[in-house]
Every structure is written in structure tokens, then in C-alpha cells.
Amino acid sequence: MSIRAAIKGVMGYVPEDILTNSDLEKLVDTNDEWIRTRTGIKERRILKKDGWASSDMGAEAVKGLLKKTNTDPSEIDLLICATVTADLVFPDNANTICDKLGINSAFGFDINAACSGFLYALTTGARFVESGTCKKVIVVGTDYMSSIIDYTDRATCVLFGDGAGAVLLEPTSEEVGIVDSSFGGDGSGRAFLHMKAGGSRRPATLETVMNREHFVYQEGRSVFKYAVRGMAESIGEVMGRNGLDEKKLNWVVPHQANLRIIQSVSKMVGVSPDRVMVNIHKYGNTTSGTLPLCLWDYENQLRKGDNLILVAFGGGFTWGATYVKWAYDGGDE
Ligand code: COA
């Protein structure tokens, strides 16, 4: 039997400060009813701790994960961090997180695939386990979205929040673990979702700052359509390849960008809403944090052998779906 990578634990971290829809009504021309009905979001967490950045949220999630899984930092071979809001352009967050937690014998790197980042990082981490290169791999998604959101732009500021989540991957010869993935990409989608300045094409200048070019720019309606199609197609592909139908599928774990996207995708795939993980009302879109935060919130309901499909769509465009057979009974670990 071949070796698979199994998720052996999950942990999340969200900042304590809450930004509600009524708080946003005081900042921009919006209202609670519009935000709830168009996005499903009621509130989001905002990082306000002095001196903290995305690596600190990631480190909190990883610290909790190590404790929960009784893992010593010295046992970790690899840490991959998914983020679009790394503390610095370089070095990466992964090595910073390792340094903060005394993970001294691991190597690490970041993956930037926007809202698909955690899924891509998870699959990459799984390959290092399956190949026998690594025994214990941590995959962490962390994003400090409020650091790149324009709180004068009502079209984007209502959508995003801050948070992080992490999982531990280990080898298994049981019939569980990360089974299969289907990924897609379309670089022409960058026109609809990007940050205008701050990279090598348009480095930061007084002008870029004055023009408010260091924030998320999104043409929401276009992104919405691509997201529904990309997510539904990749779920369909993974289900077809693995003989899964809606009866065999226990959970869909979707990226939390918009409740209407989640509902459209679930309907297209034929999965009933009670088997679709949703926590967007509490956290908004935390980019690389959404998938592990969903697993964390629903962990107690998961049973060994459950069939999960994790699915995401994000800037790039990037998208994909991953079939995971859950490796332990929630609440038992
Ligand atoms: N409050 C009130 N009105 C708002 C608003 C807000 N916060 N934001 C936009 N509007 C207005 C628009 O100005 C527009 O007004 P108009 O018709 O007078 O021009 C109207 O609401 C409809 O705007 P539109 O952009 O068509 O709304 P929408 O139904 O597409 O919802 C999003 C907007 C952003 C919520 C939605 O498009 C979306 O979620 N897109 C995908 C996001 C996503 O998946 N991102 C992926 C990265 S992870």
C-alpha cells in the first residue's frame, strides 16, 4: 500500500477585535442588510495587536497545533506558509514562523496563490510526505487582509478579515489522507483582482501611496462568475475521478469568499447545505486562512474515513479542489 499524507491535527487563530457590519456603516456608504444578503458576512476579525503582522497570527496557530498534537518543534521537517500578506516582501513568513517557535531543523517557504494558497500549499506539503522526504510537515495559511484593504472602498472593505489556520501532515499507510487534486489557472484573470503597486512593476512611491494603489483591487462581478465555474468544475473532476457521488461525499469545504458563491457551487454539485462548511458570517474572507479555519470550526463533527472535498478560487486566477479522506475522529485527538 502506498504512503499517503494524512492531516493529523488542525488549529486556527483569529484576532479578538471584531469589525461588524454596523461598524462599516460608519466608514463607507453601506448597510448591514446589503452586506448580509450580498455576501453572507456579519462580522470579521481585525488584527490590532501592536507590532503584530501575518507571521504572528500564523505562529499562534502553529503553536496551538504543536501543543494539541503533542509535537515537539524539533520534529518538524518542513513548514509551508500560504499568504499574500507576508510580513515583508522577503524573506518568507515560513522561516520567520519557524524562528518564532523554535522550529530549528525544518526548511520552509511561502506559497502565494491568493485564496487558493492554502490548498496549493497542502498538496505541495503532501508530496513531500508521500515521497518519503519529510515525516512531519506543517501547512499554515495566514493573512492580514486589513493591512491591504482600503477602508474607503465599499466594494472590497466589507469582504475581508484577518486570521490564520494550520494543519499537521504525517505519513499513513491507512486508507485515509490526501487522495487527489485538480487545479486550474488563468493568468488573464489578474485584470480583475490584483494590487496595483508595491511589486517590481510599480514599486512604492509617494504617487502610488497618494493614489491608494497599495490595496486590493477587485471587479467583483467578474470574479464571482469565474469563481463559481472554476470551483464547480474542479469539484466535478475530483468526484468523477474518484467515484464519489453526492451520497458518498460527507463534506464540501469551500473557500469563504461569498455565501452566494458557496451556495451556487453546492447546488451545481448537488450537495445539501448541511454538508457544506460555512463560517463566512463570523470571519469574512481571510484569504489563505479560510479552509483551515473551516476545518478547525467543524473538527468535532468530522469522523475518520469521512470524504471531504476542499475547494478554492482566488487571484491569479487560481483554483482547485482536493479530495481528503479524514484521518481521525474529531474530539478524540
Ligand atoms: N454596500 C452597498 N452597495 C454596494 C456595496 C456595499 N458594500 N458594494 C457595492 N455596492 C453596490 C455597487 O456600487 C452597485 O451599485 P450600482 O448598481 O448602483 O452600480 C451594486 O451594489 C451592485 O454591485 P455589484 O458589484 O454588481 O454587486 P455584486 O452582487 O456582484 O456583489 C461582491 C459584489 C463583491 C460582493 C460580489 O461580486 C463578490 O463576492 N464577488 C466575488 C468575490 C470573490 O469571490 N473574490 C475572490 C477572491 S477570493
Side-chain angles (χ1 to χ4, degrees), residues 5-62:
I7 295 177
K8 288 302 187 81
V10 57
M11 181 55 81
Y13 171 82
V14 288
E16 60 199 32
D17 282 288
I18 294 175
L19 183 69
T20 64
N21 291 349
S22 58
D23 294 331
L24 284 163
E25 287 175 6
K26 292 172 198 125
L27 299 177
V28 288
D29 179 16
T30 189
N31 59 77
D32 174 58
E33 207 256 334
W34 191 96
I35 303 172
R36 273 189 296 101
T37 53
R38 304 310 291 165
T39 73
I41 303 167
K42 293 181 180 161
E43 58 187 42
R44 61 295 284 145
R45 301 301 179 100
I46 302 293
L47 180 63
K48 288 188 179 167
K49 279 196 176 191
D50 260 1
W52 275 45
S54 62
S55 75
D56 299 285
M57 291 194 295
E60 280 303 303
V62 175

Coordinates of all heavy atoms in Angstrom, one line a residue, residues 5-62:
A5 N -0.3 11.2 2.7 CA -0.1 12.3 3.8 C -1.5 12.5 4.4 O -2.5 12.7 3.7 CB 0.3 13.6 3.2
A6 N -1.5 12.3 5.7 CA -2.8 12.5 6.4 C -2.8 13.7 7.3 O -1.7 14.0 7.9 CB -3.1 11.3 7.3
I7 N -3.9 14.4 7.4 CA -4.0 15.6 8.3 C -4.2 15.0 9.7 O -5.2 14.3 9.9 CB -5.2 16.5 7.9 CG1 -4.9 17.1 6.5 CG2 -5.4 17.6 9.0 CD1 -6.1 18.0 6.0
K8 N -3.3 15.3 10.6 CA -3.3 14.7 12.0 C -3.8 15.7 13.0 O -3.9 15.4 14.2 CB -1.9 14.1 12.3 CG -1.6 12.9 11.6 CD -2.7 11.8 11.9 CE -2.4 10.5 11.3 NZ -1.5 9.7 12.1
G9 N -4.0 17.0 12.6 CA -4.5 17.9 13.6 C -4.7 19.3 12.9 O -4.1 19.5 11.8
V10 N -5.5 20.1 13.4 CA -5.8 21.4 12.8 C -6.0 22.4 14.0 O -6.5 22.1 15.0 CB -7.1 21.3 11.9 CG1 -8.3 20.8 12.7 CG2 -7.4 22.6 11.3
M11 N -5.6 23.6 13.7 CA -5.7 24.7 14.7 C -5.9 26.0 14.0 O -5.3 26.2 12.9 CB -4.5 24.7 15.6 CG -4.5 25.8 16.7 SD -5.9 25.7 17.8 CE -5.4 24.4 18.9
G12 N -6.7 26.9 14.6 CA -6.9 28.2 14.0 C -6.5 29.3 15.0 O -6.4 29.1 16.2
Y13 N -6.4 30.5 14.4 CA -6.2 31.7 15.3 C -6.9 32.8 14.6 O -6.7 33.1 13.4 CB -4.7 32.0 15.4 CG -4.6 33.4 16.1 CD1 -4.6 33.5 17.5 CD2 -4.4 34.6 15.3 CE1 -4.6 34.7 18.1 CE2 -4.4 35.8 15.9 CZ -4.4 35.9 17.3 OH -4.4 37.1 17.9
V14 N -7.8 33.5 15.3 CA -8.4 34.7 14.9 C -8.2 35.8 15.9 O -8.2 35.5 17.1 CB -9.9 34.6 14.5 CG1 -10.1 33.8 13.3 CG2 -10.7 34.0 15.7
P15 N -7.9 37.0 15.5 CA -7.7 38.2 16.4 C -9.0 38.4 17.2 O -10.1 38.1 16.7 CB -7.4 39.4 15.5 CG -7.1 38.8 14.2 CD -7.8 37.5 14.1
E16 N -8.9 39.0 18.4 CA -10.1 39.2 19.2 C -10.9 40.4 18.7 O -12.2 40.4 19.0 CB -9.7 39.3 20.7 CG -8.8 40.5 21.0 CD -8.1 40.4 22.3 OE1 -7.8 39.2 22.7 OE2 -7.9 41.4 22.9
D17 N -10.4 41.4 18.1 CA -11.1 42.5 17.7 C -12.1 42.2 16.6 O -11.7 41.6 15.5 CB -10.2 43.7 17.3 CG -9.6 44.4 18.5 OD1 -10.4 45.1 19.2 OD2 -8.4 44.1 18.8
I18 N -13.4 42.7 16.7 CA -14.4 42.4 15.8 C -14.9 43.6 15.1 O -15.1 44.7 15.7 CB -15.6 41.7 16.5 CG1 -15.2 40.4 17.1 CG2 -16.8 41.6 15.6 CD1 -16.3 39.7 17.9
L19 N -15.0 43.6 13.7 CA -15.5 44.7 12.9 C -16.8 44.2 12.4 O -16.9 43.3 11.6 CB -14.5 45.0 11.8 CG -14.9 46.2 10.9 CD1 -14.8 47.5 11.6 CD2 -14.0 46.2 9.6
T20 N -17.9 44.8 12.9 CA -19.3 44.4 12.5 C -19.7 45.2 11.2 O -19.1 46.2 10.9 CB -20.3 44.6 13.6 OG1 -20.3 46.1 13.8 CG2 -19.9 44.0 14.9
N21 N -20.8 44.7 10.7 CA -21.4 45.5 9.5 C -21.8 46.9 10.0 O -21.6 47.8 9.2 CB -22.6 44.7 9.0 CG -22.2 43.4 8.3 OD1 -21.0 43.2 8.1 ND2 -23.1 42.6 8.0
S22 N -22.3 47.0 11.2 CA -22.7 48.4 11.6 C -21.5 49.3 11.8 O -21.6 50.5 11.6 CB -23.7 48.3 12.8 OG -23.1 47.7 13.8
D23 N -20.4 48.7 12.2 CA -19.1 49.5 12.3 C -18.8 50.0 10.9 O -18.4 51.2 10.7 CB -17.9 48.6 12.8 CG -18.1 48.2 14.2 OD1 -18.7 48.9 15.0 OD2 -17.5 47.1 14.6
L24 N -18.9 49.1 9.9 CA -18.6 49.5 8.5 C -19.5 50.6 8.0 O -19.2 51.5 7.1 CB -18.6 48.3 7.6 CG -17.4 47.4 7.7 CD1 -17.6 46.0 7.1 CD2 -16.1 48.1 7.1
E25 N -20.8 50.6 8.5 CA -21.7 51.6 8.1 C -21.2 53.0 8.4 O -21.6 54.0 7.8 CB -23.1 51.4 8.7 CG -23.9 50.2 8.2 CD -25.2 50.0 9.0 OE1 -25.5 50.8 9.9 OE2 -25.8 49.0 8.7
K26 N -20.4 53.1 9.4 CA -19.8 54.4 9.9 C -18.6 54.8 9.0 O -18.2 56.0 9.0 CB -19.4 54.3 11.3 CG -20.6 54.2 12.2 CD -20.2 53.9 13.7 CE -21.4 53.3 14.5 NZ -21.1 52.1 15.1
L27 N -18.1 53.8 8.2 CA -16.9 54.2 7.4 C -17.2 54.4 6.0 O -16.6 55.3 5.3 CB -15.9 53.0 7.5 CG -15.3 52.6 8.9 CD1 -14.4 51.3 8.7 CD2 -14.5 53.7 9.4
V28 N -18.1 53.7 5.4 CA -18.5 53.8 4.0 C -20.0 53.8 3.8 O -20.7 53.4 4.7 CB -17.8 52.7 3.1 CG1 -16.3 52.8 3.0 CG2 -18.2 51.3 3.7
D29 N -20.4 54.1 2.6 CA -21.9 54.1 2.3 C -22.3 52.7 2.0 O -22.3 52.2 0.9 CB -22.1 55.0 1.1 CG -23.6 55.1 0.7 OD1 -24.4 54.7 1.5 OD2 -23.9 55.5 -0.5
T30 N -22.7 52.0 3.1 CA -23.1 50.6 3.0 C -24.1 50.4 4.1 O -24.4 51.3 4.9 CB -22.0 49.6 3.1 OG1 -22.4 48.3 2.8 CG2 -21.3 49.6 4.5
N31 N -24.7 49.2 4.2 CA -25.6 48.8 5.3 C -25.6 47.3 5.5 O -25.3 46.5 4.6 CB -27.0 49.4 5.0 CG -27.6 48.8 3.7 OD1 -28.0 47.6 3.7 ND2 -27.5 49.5 2.6
D32 N -26.0 47.0 6.8 CA -25.9 45.6 7.2 C -26.7 44.7 6.3 O -26.2 43.6 5.9 CB -26.5 45.6 8.6 CG -26.6 44.2 9.2 OD1 -25.6 43.4 9.2 OD2 -27.7 43.7 9.5
E33 N -27.9 45.2 5.9 CA -28.7 44.3 5.0 C -28.0 44.0 3.7 O -28.0 42.8 3.3 CB -30.1 45.1 4.8 CG -31.2 44.2 4.5 CD -31.6 44.1 3.1 OE1 -31.3 45.1 2.4 OE2 -32.2 43.1 2.6
W34 N -27.4 45.0 3.1 CA -26.7 44.8 1.8 C -25.6 43.8 2.0 O -25.5 42.8 1.2 CB -26.2 46.1 1.2 CG -25.7 45.9 -0.2 CD1 -26.4 46.2 -1.4 CD2 -24.4 45.4 -0.7 NE1 -25.6 45.9 -2.5 CE2 -24.4 45.4 -2.1 CE3 -23.3 44.9 0.0 CZ2 -23.4 45.0 -2.9 CZ3 -22.2 44.5 -0.8 CH2 -22.2 44.5 -2.2
I35 N -24.8 44.0 3.0 CA -23.7 43.1 3.2 C -24.1 41.6 3.5 O -23.6 40.7 2.9 CB -22.8 43.6 4.4 CG1 -22.3 45.0 4.1 CG2 -21.5 42.7 4.6 CD1 -21.6 45.7 5.3
R36 N -25.1 41.5 4.4 CA -25.6 40.1 4.7 C -26.2 39.4 3.5 O -25.9 38.3 3.2 CB -26.6 40.2 5.9 CG -25.9 40.1 7.2 CD -26.9 39.9 8.4 NE -27.9 41.1 8.5 CZ -29.1 41.1 8.0 NH1 -29.6 40.0 7.5 NH2 -29.9 42.1 8.1
T37 N -27.0 40.1 2.8 CA -27.7 39.4 1.7 C -26.8 39.2 0.4 O -26.9 38.3 -0.3 CB -29.0 40.2 1.2 OG1 -28.6 41.5 0.9 CG2 -30.0 40.2 2.3
R38 N -25.9 40.2 0.2 CA -25.0 40.0 -1.0 C -23.7 39.1 -0.7 O -23.1 38.6 -1.6 CB -24.5 41.4 -1.5 CG -25.5 42.4 -1.8 CD -26.6 41.8 -2.7 NE -26.2 41.6 -4.1 CZ -26.8 40.8 -5.0 NH1 -28.0 40.3 -4.7 NH2 -26.3 40.6 -6.2
T39 N -23.4 39.0 0.6 CA -22.1 38.3 0.9 C -22.3 37.2 2.0 O -21.5 36.3 2.0 CB -21.0 39.2 1.4 OG1 -21.3 39.6 2.7 CG2 -20.9 40.4 0.5
G40 N -23.2 37.3 2.9 CA -23.4 36.4 4.0 C -22.5 36.7 5.2 O -22.6 36.0 6.2
I41 N -21.8 37.9 5.1 CA -20.9 38.2 6.2 C -21.6 39.1 7.2 O -22.3 40.1 6.9 CB -19.7 39.0 5.6 CG1 -19.0 38.1 4.6 CG2 -18.7 39.4 6.8 CD1 -17.9 38.9 3.8
K42 N -21.4 38.8 8.5 CA -22.0 39.6 9.6 C -20.9 40.4 10.3 O -21.1 41.5 10.8 CB -22.7 38.7 10.6 CG -24.0 38.1 10.0 CD -24.7 37.2 11.1 CE -25.9 36.6 10.5 NZ -26.4 35.5 11.3
E43 N -19.8 39.7 10.5 CA -18.6 40.4 11.1 C -17.3 39.7 10.7 O -17.3 38.7 10.1 CB -18.8 40.3 12.7 CG -18.9 38.9 13.2 CD -19.2 38.8 14.7 OE1 -20.0 39.6 15.1 OE2 -18.5 38.0 15.4
R44 N -16.2 40.4 10.9 CA -14.9 39.9 10.6 C -14.0 40.3 11.7 O -14.2 41.2 12.5 CB -14.4 40.3 9.2 CG -14.2 41.7 8.8 CD -15.4 42.6 8.8 NE -16.3 42.5 7.7 CZ -17.6 42.7 7.8 NH1 -18.2 43.0 9.0 NH2 -18.4 42.6 6.8
R45 N -12.8 39.5 11.9 CA -11.8 39.8 12.9 C -10.8 40.7 12.3 O -10.3 40.5 11.1 CB -11.2 38.5 13.4 CG -12.2 37.5 14.0 CD -12.9 38.2 15.2 NE -13.9 37.3 15.8 CZ -13.7 36.6 16.9 NH1 -12.5 36.7 17.5 NH2 -14.6 35.8 17.3
I46 N -10.3 41.6 13.1 CA -9.3 42.6 12.6 C -8.1 42.6 13.6 O -8.3 42.7 14.8 CB -9.8 44.0 12.5 CG1 -11.1 44.1 11.6 CG2 -8.8 45.0 12.1 CD1 -10.8 43.8 10.1
L47 N -6.9 42.4 13.0 CA -5.7 42.3 13.9 C -5.3 43.8 14.3 O -5.0 44.6 13.4 CB -4.5 41.7 13.1 CG -3.2 41.6 13.8 CD1 -3.3 40.7 15.0 CD2 -2.1 41.0 12.9
K48 N -5.3 44.0 15.6 CA -4.9 45.3 16.1 C -3.8 45.3 17.1 O -3.5 46.3 17.7 CB -6.1 46.0 16.7 CG -7.2 46.4 15.7 CD -8.3 47.2 16.4 CE -9.3 47.6 15.4 NZ -10.5 48.2 16.1
K49 N -3.2 44.1 17.3 CA -2.1 44.0 18.3 C -0.9 44.7 17.9 O -0.4 44.5 16.7 CB -1.8 42.5 18.5 CG -2.7 41.8 19.4 CD -2.1 40.5 19.9 CE -3.1 39.8 20.9 NZ -2.5 38.7 21.6
D50 N -0.4 45.5 18.8 CA 0.8 46.3 18.4 C 2.0 45.5 18.0 O 2.4 44.5 18.6 CB 1.3 47.1 19.7 CG 0.8 48.5 19.7 OD1 0.1 48.9 18.7 OD2 1.1 49.2 20.7
G51 N 2.5 45.8 16.8 CA 3.7 45.2 16.3 C 3.5 43.8 15.7 O 4.4 43.1 15.2
W52 N 2.2 43.4 15.7 CA 1.9 42.1 15.1 C 1.7 42.2 13.6 O 1.2 43.2 13.1 CB 0.6 41.5 15.7 CG 0.9 40.7 17.0 CD1 1.7 41.1 18.0 CD2 0.4 39.4 17.4 NE1 1.7 40.2 19.0 CE2 0.9 39.1 18.6 CE3 -0.5 38.5 16.8 CZ2 0.6 38.0 19.3 CZ3 -0.8 37.4 17.4 CH2 -0.3 37.1 18.7
A53 N 2.0 41.1 12.9 CA 1.8 41.0 11.4 C 1.3 39.6 11.1 O 1.0 38.8 12.0 CB 3.1 41.3 10.7
S54 N 1.3 39.2 9.8 CA 0.7 37.9 9.5 C 1.4 36.7 10.1 O 0.8 35.7 10.4 CB 0.5 37.8 8.0 OG 1.8 37.8 7.4
S55 N 2.8 36.9 10.2 CA 3.5 35.7 10.7 C 3.1 35.5 12.2 O 3.2 34.3 12.7 CB 5.0 36.0 10.6 OG 5.5 36.9 11.6
D56 N 2.8 36.5 12.9 CA 2.4 36.3 14.3 C 1.1 35.5 14.5 O 1.0 34.7 15.4 CB 2.3 37.7 15.0 CG 3.6 38.4 15.0 OD1 4.5 38.1 15.7 OD2 3.7 39.4 14.2
M57 N 0.2 35.8 13.6 CA -1.1 35.0 13.6 C -0.8 33.6 13.2 O -1.3 32.6 13.8 CB -2.1 35.6 12.6 CG -2.6 37.0 13.1 SD -4.1 37.5 12.1 CE -3.4 37.6 10.5
G58 N 0.0 33.4 12.2 CA 0.4 32.1 11.7 C 1.1 31.3 12.9 O 0.8 30.1 13.1
A59 N 2.0 32.0 13.5 CA 2.8 31.4 14.6 C 1.8 31.0 15.8 O 2.0 29.9 16.4 CB 3.9 32.4 15.1
E60 N 0.8 31.8 16.1 CA -0.2 31.4 17.1 C -0.9 30.1 16.7 O -1.1 29.2 17.6 CB -1.2 32.5 17.3 CG -0.8 33.7 18.1 CD -0.3 33.3 19.5 OE1 -1.1 32.6 20.2 OE2 0.8 33.6 19.9
A61 N -1.3 30.0 15.5 CA -2.0 28.8 15.0 C -1.1 27.6 15.1 O -1.4 26.5 15.6 CB -2.5 29.0 13.6
V62 N 0.2 27.8 14.7 CA 1.1 26.6 14.7 C 1.5 26.2 16.1 O 1.6 25.1 16.5 CB 2.4 27.0 13.9 CG1 3.5 25.9 14.0 CG2 2.1 27.2 12.4

